Amino acid sequence: MLEREREVTLRFLAEPTDINFGGKVHGGAVMKWIDQAGYACAVGWSGQYCVTVYVGGIRFYKPVLIGNVVEARAKLVHTGRTSMHIVVDVGASDPKDRLSTKTTHCVIVLVAVDEQGNPVEVTRWRPETEEDAALERYAVKLMELRKGTEESVSNLRDAMPL
Ligand SMILES: CC(C)(COP(=O)(O)OP(=O)(O)OC[C@H]1O[C@@H](n2cnc3c(N)ncnc32)[C@H](O)[C@@H]1OP(=O)(O)O)[C@@H](O)C(=O)NCCC(=O)NCCS
């Protein structure tokens, strides 16, 4: 049996078609790369087709420029029964000097599904280093924070005349 892939890095050029009205890379393009890197990572780990169930805590630190070499690095940091929590960091560099700048960070959650789209169990991932244990605590903490926020938002929404 093949060893399970826990990390995936996509590397490519930011193309002129990715441009926004300010002449830099569109935020939506960066989100698509994050989703693609997370997808490849989740499928590599689970060996199943996967769908995105949540994208959270996305932070755009710096713009990506057209013509930059982009690296979207995805790393599994927590598994639930059917879900995989994946940290994705996007870095960009000018191909002339290749000095990479971290431009975007987020945690994305994907669920492994069967052919009917029903969630299926995934192999559990266990941290083996203190760094990995810290990353797992970070993902779990984010999930807990989210639960509280989602409940508050849902209460607010229910109170609106929508
Ligand atoms: C993902 C999907 C299959 C989950 O189905 P579901 O009936 O909600 O299934 P469950 O309630 O059993 O949840 C499945 C997992 O998702 C997790 N999940 C659900 N909502 C979540 C959220 N807001 N944040 C993080 N994880 C979440 C659950 O915790 C569970 O994980 P676990 O098994 O590791 O504990 C379903 O919601 C779906 O098909 N969504 C659309 C996916 C899609 O089209 N994505 C692409 C959009 S661009």
Side-chain angles (χ1 to χ4, degrees), residues 35 51-54 79-85 109-113 117-119 122 143 146 150:
D35 197 45
V51 292
T52 306
V53 68
Y54 189 84
T79 47
R81 198 179 73 84
T82 65
S83 64
M84 290 154 283
H85 296 228
V109 183
L110 290 101
V111 172
V113 292
N118 298 315
V122 295
M143 186 168 52
R146 223 159 38 224
E150 277 172 11

Side-chain angles (χ1 to χ4, degrees), residues 4-141:
R4 294 192 181 271
E5 284 278 345
R6 181 207 168 196
E7 289 186 53
V8 168
T9 299
L10 306 183
R11 193 176 292 116
F12 48 87
L13 279 177
E15 298 190 39
T17 46
D18 298 322
I19 202 165
N20 68 14
F21 295 107
K24 295 170 181 157
V25 167
H26 211 282
V30 179
M31 288 162 81
K32 179 178 160 189
W33 300 334
I34 287 170
D35 197 45
Q36 289 174 334
Y39 172 79
C41 184
V43 172
W45 179 260
S46 64
Q48 298 275 346
Y49 177 63
C50 297
V51 292
T52 306
V53 68
Y54 189 84
V55 181
I58 187 161
R59 171 72 161 99
F60 295 94
Y61 297 107
K62 302 262 182 206
V64 178
L65 308 181
I66 304 300
N68 275 179
V69 174
V70 178
E71 278 195 0
R73 294 180 289 271
K75 184 191 266 193
L76 181 74
V77 297
H78 175 64
T79 47
R81 198 179 73 84
T82 65
S83 64
M84 290 154 283
H85 296 228
I86 292 166
V87 168
V88 184
D89 285 307
V90 179
S93 62
D94 184 325
K96 289 193 228 52
D97 57 32
R98 300 302 304 272
L99 292 172
S100 184
T101 304
K102 179 162 151 174
T103 67
T104 322
H105 167 89
C106 96
V107 178
I108 181 169
V109 183
L110 290 101
V111 172
V113 292
D114 63 18
E115 282 171 10
Q116 284 71 46
N118 298 315
V120 291
E121 277 190 43
V122 295
T123 302
R124 185 161 172 204
W125 172 78
R126 288 181 175 82
E128 285 177 0
T129 64
E130 183 42 44
E131 190 186 331
D132 283 345
L135 282 170
E136 180 164 58
R137 286 195 295 274
Y138 166 59
V140 170
K141 183 74 189 164

